[in-house]
Amino acid sequence: MPIRLTDPAAQPVVDKVHAGERLSFEDGLLLDEQFDLQALGQLANTVRERRNGNLAFYNTNIHLNPTNVCVYRCRFCAFRADLRDDKAYTFTDDMLRERVLEGRAGGATEIHVVGGLHHRKSFDWYLNVIRVIHETCPEIHIKAWTPVEINWFSFITKKPVRWVLEQLVEAGLGSMPGGGAEIFAEEVRREICEHKADSDVWFDVHRTAHQLGLRSNATMLYGHVEQARHRIDHLLRLRNLQDETGGFQTFIPLAFHPENTELANIEKADIMFDLRMIALSRLMLDNFDHIKAYWIMLGQQTAQLALSYGADDIDGTVVHELIYHDAGAETPEGMTVEQIHRLIREAGREPVERDTLYRRVIRNGREWTIGEPLSTMTGA
Ligand code: V47
């Protein structure tokens, strides 16, 4: 029988959550493996409301994946291509400009940029992507490249990670997204992304980015070959770096989408699993201000529910998403601000537009200015 909130077995964890005390690895395992979904959700919602009240954050953003050509062959990825594949593509400078101008016309405050590691492209090509975006529209915040790309740039230039990041910041980089984390445990990485940058690299890059004053996000890919102990280990490793640097802004649990991947035999996580992961993250990551329910990945209805299971953010308008749509996501490729407002209000929360750095966006149609940091308003 799953553990319910009133069961004696739940009491030690319930008491810790109510007292605002830190949960241990063993607490995490108990929550993940044995707690009933409602119990998990109720506890996580307590923490969510303590930190972010009734607010639910979103942003107006656009995605850009400059190339899908990639030297890596991660088994969970449906987006990558070989150079000679029919679906292989690489953006030109004109295509980059067109995408940024489309973002500006739609009122975007952020552009989210990730892509493949193209073996024929130099670091200068990747640097130029950032520069072209920045010069075309300097007011749009560029959230780009994961540690997997940064590590690749360091490898091809034979320069330290710090140098790579400094060049990118000079070209216009504003922050880093949370991808490439997958599951940190080596035994799982060996099965799903054997040759990719390992967890030490992932943490080193984020640590260096935080030391340079960049903020970043973190993710966890669940629902493939990993087990509960790997998930808890993943969350605790993130909590440790956050204790050290305080540089993470938001955590995004990502459900594995099997379609068109080498792991297509695995069944996609169901809604219960998705809500459990949102709640578990909220409870274990006591030093993260925000938990994001990425609606593109969850679907709009699960994202609405997630706002009462620990999440306080749903990402944004997300125009031109490819990574999840290549892997079978059935959500639309973007939502309007009106649709996002309706989605959040239907879930009983109050929508607040934020920029990438969680400052209030003051909007007059497609024009906008940045207001106060939202953390001061929520007391987080
Ligand atoms: O690292 C790739 C995952 C990530 C699949 O920081 C897959 O605001 C499921 O990190 N099924 C990239 N997941 C996306 C990402 C992200 C998304 C939204 C917001 C932010 C942010 C970051 O997507 C990859 C990998 O973990 N992924 N393929 C797949 N078939």
Side-chain angles (χ1 to χ4, degrees), residues 61 63 74-79 110 112 114 143 146 148 176-183 196 202 216-222 250 252 254-261 292 294 296-297 315 318 321 323-324 326-328 354 356:
N61 61 351
H63 280 216
C74 299
R75 297 181 70 209
F76 59 80
C77 181
F79 167 73
E110 170 190 286
H112 173 121
V114 289
K143 180 179 74 174
T146 72
V148 179
M176 280 173 59
E182 323 318 353
I183 285 280
K196 191 151 92 170
W202 196 93
S216 67
N217 295 336
T219 58
M220 172 175 78
L221 185 69
Y222 64 87
T250 183
I252 313 134
L254 297 169
F256 171 56
H257 279 46
E259 222 173 277
N260 304 321
T261 76
K292 189 186 280 188
Y294 186 38
I296 286 271
M297 174 273 290
D315 203 278
V318 197
E321 201 284 334
I323 294 176
Y324 277 84
D326 282 357
R354 60 159 177 91
T356 312

Side-chain angles (χ1 to χ4, degrees), residues 223-366:
H224 43 89
V225 303
E226 93 288 358
Q227 295 174 13
R229 65 190 154 89
H230 302 124
R231 295 192 286 267
I232 307 301
D233 168 69
H234 187 97
L235 296 172
L236 295 195
R237 290 202 214 189
L238 287 171
R239 195 170 76 180
N240 286 344
L241 184 63
Q242 182 73 331
D243 275 347
E244 188 185 318
T245 65
F248 288 120
Q249 302 200 105
T250 183
F251 177 74
I252 313 134
L254 297 169
F256 171 56
H257 279 46
E259 222 173 277
N260 304 321
T261 76
E262 280 185 27
L263 301 172
N265 57 314
I266 295 176
E267 210 170 307
K268 187 178 157 309
D270 61 12
I271 177 172
M272 317 279 254
F273 197 174
D274 289 334
L275 292 176
R276 294 185 75 84
M277 290 304 104
I278 294 276
L280 182 73
S281 316
R282 180 62 287 166
L283 290 166
M284 298 309 292
L285 296 175
D286 56 11
N287 52 6
F288 275 62
D289 283 342
H290 304 287
I291 302 292
K292 189 186 280 188
Y294 186 38
W295 67 265
I296 286 271
M297 174 273 290
L298 291 170
Q300 287 130 306
Q301 290 172 350
T302 308
Q304 284 181 307
L305 280 173
L307 292 176
S308 296
Y309 279 78
D312 60 277
D313 192 294
I314 61 157
D315 203 278
T317 44
V318 197
V319 180
H320 290 298
E321 201 284 334
L322 285 183
I323 294 176
Y324 277 84
H325 287 92
D326 282 357
E330 285 166 8
T331 41
E333 264 198 43
M335 261 204 283
T336 63
V337 168
E338 291 69 32
Q339 287 169 321
I340 288 192
H341 277 208
R342 196 174 333 120
L343 181 149
I344 292 175
R345 289 218 168 92
E346 274 174 11
R349 302 296 188 188
E350 186 190 330
V352 177
E353 182 174 358
R354 60 159 177 91
D355 74 345
T356 312
L357 303 175
Y358 284 84
R359 296 170 301 187
R360 184 184 285 283
V361 174
I362 301 156
R363 189 170 281 282
N364 181 9
R366 307 217 180 288

Side-chain angles (χ1 to χ4, degrees), residues 64-67 89-96 99 121 125:
L64 192 166
N65 308 116
T67 180
Y89 72 83
T90 303
F91 268 50
T92 60
D93 286 2
D94 282 344
M95 289 161 82
L96 294 172
R99 178 63 59 86
K121 298 293 178 197
W125 184 82

Side-chain angles (χ1 to χ4, degrees), residues 54-73:
N54 199 36
L55 307 182
F57 303 104
Y58 71 92
N59 74 347
T60 307
N61 61 351
I62 190 161
H63 280 216
L64 192 166
N65 308 116
T67 180
N68 60 354
V69 176
C70 190
V71 295
Y72 286 141
R73 296 179 163 274

Side-chain angles (χ1 to χ4, degrees), residues 164-185:
V164 168
L165 286 169
E166 282 168 351
Q167 304 301 304
L168 290 167
V169 168
E170 207 179 299
L173 180 76
S175 67
M176 280 173 59
E182 323 318 353
I183 285 280
F184 293 132

